[in-house]
Structures are given as structure tokens and as C-alpha cells.
Amino acid sequence: MVRGEALSAYRALLRATQKSFAGDTLMLNASAVEVRKKFDVNRHVTSETEIQRLLEEARQASHFISTMIVQAKLNDRGGYEVKPSKEHAGATLEIPSEEIIRKSA
């Protein structure tokens, strides 16, 4: 049963990153690597309490990625556009600094 829950949590995280980072190959690849690394590090955890804590952490991360991250896209005018979906209702918008944007380019 736990294996199925872990696989479900893993897939949910990947789906959340695929939706949030659609069209951004760099972030898609980096997030997939990070999700895999987190699951691999905890592969041999046997404590039921610890497993449940890790599964809850994965569910929260999936929810956070789905509801709190919105990719800004460069438009034709050289500016960035943010198009939040209904999942983002009530979220606070944080505009990244120019330095962060330069590093990600």
C-alpha cells in the first residue's frame, strides 16, 4: 500500500511541475531531477511514521507548486506576462528581481 501511495505522490508532483513549468524545458528538467532525488534519498525509509510524514510533505509540495507558482512568459513587446489560472486565486504575486531573471536566462 505504501509503495502505491509513494508512486501516486511522485506522479502528482511531476504533474504539478509539468503544469506549472509548461514550455520551460530548463525548469521542467530541473524540477524532475529534484523530485527524483528527494524520493531516491528516502527510498529506504522504513518507519511508518516517517513515511507518512514524507508523503504528507510530498502532497503539500504538489499543492504548493500547483497553486503558488506561475511562470511569467516573455511577450512580443519584451515584457513578461503572468496568466494565473483559477488554482491561483488568492495567491500573492511576487515579481522576480532583474538579477534572478538574468540568472535564469
Side-chain angles (χ1 to χ4, degrees):
M1 181 65 178
V2 172
R3 180 174 167 80
E5 286 181 77
L7 189 55
S8 178
Y10 179 77
R11 287 179 178 157
L13 272 166
L14 290 180
R15 277 192 303 276
T17 60
Q18 288 168 352
K19 184 175 180 184
S20 292
F21 303 127
D24 186 340
T25 306
L26 179 66
M27 285 303 296
L28 283 168
N29 291 337
S31 61
V33 167
E34 187 63 27
V35 169
R36 179 63 185 231
K37 187 182 347 174
K38 282 286 197 182
F39 276 77
D40 280 345
V41 164
N42 295 298
R43 179 181 297 273
H44 301 292
V45 172
T46 57
S47 163
E48 185 64 31
T49 304
E50 183 67 6
I51 290 169
Q52 290 307 316
R53 186 190 68 75
L54 291 166
L55 288 170
E56 180 58 27
E57 187 178 290
R59 285 188 283 271
Q60 288 177 3
S62 178
H63 178 73
F64 180 86
I65 292 166
S66 296
T67 59
M68 301 301 284
I69 296 178
V70 179
Q71 280 289 101
K73 293 191 169 63
L74 186 61
N75 63 26
D76 297 337
R77 299 177 311 269
Y80 286 87
E81 291 181 7
V82 176
K83 295 182 180 174
S85 64
K86 66 178 186 245
E87 290 89 10
H88 300 101
T92 303
L93 178 63
E94 291 184 27
I95 307 297
S97 67
E98 289 294 322
E99 180 182 344
I100 291 172
I101 293 172
R102 276 193 301 277
K103 286 181 181 179
S104 67

